[in-house]
Amino acid sequence: MFRFARFAVVAVALFTGSVASAQPQPFTPEQKAALQQIVRDVLISNPEILVEAMHALEAKQQAEAGKAAKAAIAANRKAIFEDGVSFVAGNPKGDVTIVEFFDYRCGYCKQVQPSLLTLLKEDSKIRLVLKELPVLGPDSVMASRAAVAALEQDKGGKYLGFHNAMMAFRGQINEAEVMRMATEAGLDLKKLKTDMASAKVEQVLRANLALADTLGIQGTPGFVVGEEMVPGAVSLDALRQLVKQARS
C-alpha cells in the first residue's frame, strides 16, 4: 500500500508539473506519459487509495484546525470567558465554562437549548456564558439588540426569562413578538427601545461578531467548552462528555 501511495503522490506531481521542477533531470515526454499511465492504472485498480488519501487529508485538516482553535482560545481568553458584559447563567464560579454563540432565529440553537437547560440543572458546577451572534438577518439583529439592552435593566432573572422565551419561541421572530416577550419578562419597553439604539449595545454585538470571526466560528450555534471549539448543535450526551473532558 505504501508503494501505491507513492504512485498517488507522483501522479499529483506529474499532473501539476511539480515533478519536473523537483528533479535534477526532467522526465522526457515518453517517460512522463509512461508514468502517468502506470499511476492511472494503479488508481483505477485500487480506488480505495483515493478514499484513504481523502481521509488522511481530512484528519490532517481537523488536527490543524484544532491546534488553531486552541491557540485562538488561549490568545482571547478574557474576551471569551470574562468580557464583563455577556450574561453568565448557571454557577458564576463553576469549574467548567461553556460559551455559546447563538442567534435567536437559529433553529439549531433552539434545538440545543433544552439540552443546555438540562445540563445546568443536573450539574451545579457549570458556568454558561451567553453571547448573542446575530447572523441571520435584520430580525436577528433586532432580537439580539433587545437581549443585550435588557442587561441594562436587569442582570439576572428578567434577562434570563427574556432569553429563554426567545429561544423557546417557534414562530417568526419580529419586533412585535420580541416586545411582547420583553413585556412578559417584566422589562420596561421604553427604556429597552432606547437602549437598543445605544452605542454600547452596538459595540457589544460588533465585539461578539469580531470574536467569532477570530475563533473561526462560521455559524450558529458555536461553543467553546473549556479549551475546545465545538461547532453546530450538540447533543446532551456530547455536552456531558465535553464537560467531563474539560474537568480532566
Side-chain angles (χ1 to χ4, degrees):
M1 186 59 67
F2 176 71
R3 179 168 55 87
F4 291 156
R6 288 184 63 189
F7 274 130
V9 172
V10 172
V12 173
L14 283 170
F15 293 131
T16 59
S18 61
V19 167
S21 62
Q23 296 293 330
Q25 295 295 326
F27 287 111
T28 66
E30 292 78 11
Q31 289 173 326
K32 185 174 180 180
L35 268 174
Q36 287 177 334
Q37 186 60 51
I38 292 171
V39 172
R40 183 178 288 107
D41 291 344
V42 169
L43 293 178
I44 289 175
S45 300
N46 302 271
E48 66 274 11
I49 295 173
L50 297 176
V51 176
E52 291 177 8
M54 287 302 300
H55 288 168
L57 177 61
E58 289 174 0
K60 180 180 179 181
Q61 290 174 334
Q62 288 175 359
E64 291 174 348
K67 290 180 181 179
K70 283 182 169 60
I73 291 170
N76 295 275
R77 293 193 65 83
K78 184 173 178 60
I80 297 169
F81 301 109
E82 302 281 355
D83 66 3
V85 177
S86 299
F87 183 81
V88 179
N91 184 349
K93 297 182 180 179
D95 63 349
V96 172
T97 296
I98 298 174
V99 181
E100 181 188 16
F101 291 81
F102 62 91
D103 185 310
Y104 287 112
R105 295 183 64 236
C106 168
Y108 294 110
C109 300
K110 294 175 184 292
Q111 177 183 321
V112 78
Q113 176 73 356
S115 295
L116 286 171
L117 294 177
T118 297
L119 191 65
L120 291 179
K121 287 180 181 179
E122 69 183 28
D123 191 329
S124 62
K125 294 183 179 180
I126 290 178
R127 179 175 178 269
L128 175 62
V129 178
L130 300 174
K131 290 185 179 291
E132 288 80 2
L133 188 69
V135 294
L136 297 176
D139 285 334
S140 293
V141 175
M142 177 273 302
S144 291
R145 282 183 177 276
V148 176
L151 290 170
E152 294 299 307
Q153 295 186 45
D154 177 79
K155 302 295 185 183
K158 291 181 180 180
Y159 168 89
L160 192 57
F162 185 33
H163 167 80
N164 287 340
M166 287 200 284
M167 292 301 286
F169 185 70
R170 290 298 185 267
Q172 179 62 42
I173 284 278
N174 55 41
E175 187 170 3
E177 291 292 347
V178 168
M179 292 303 115
R180 176 185 62 78
M181 288 182 276
T183 299
E184 292 176 355
L187 295 163
D188 181 329
L189 292 191
K190 183 177 180 180
K191 177 172 174 52
L192 186 72
K193 290 180 179 180
T194 298
D195 291 335
M196 284 172 66
S198 70
K200 181 177 180 180
V201 168
E202 176 73 15
Q203 182 179 4
V204 169
L205 294 181
R206 286 186 178 275
N208 286 353
L209 288 164
L211 180 60
D213 184 62
T214 298
L215 296 176
I217 295 174
Q218 299 177 348
T220 54
F223 296 92
V224 177
V225 184
E227 303 297 325
E228 296 293 328
M229 193 87 69
V230 187
V234 186
S235 70
L236 178 57
D237 285 341
L239 284 169
R240 289 173 178 144
Q241 185 61 33
L242 287 164
V243 169
K244 182 178 180 180
Q245 290 175 359
R247 285 201 171 109
S248 64

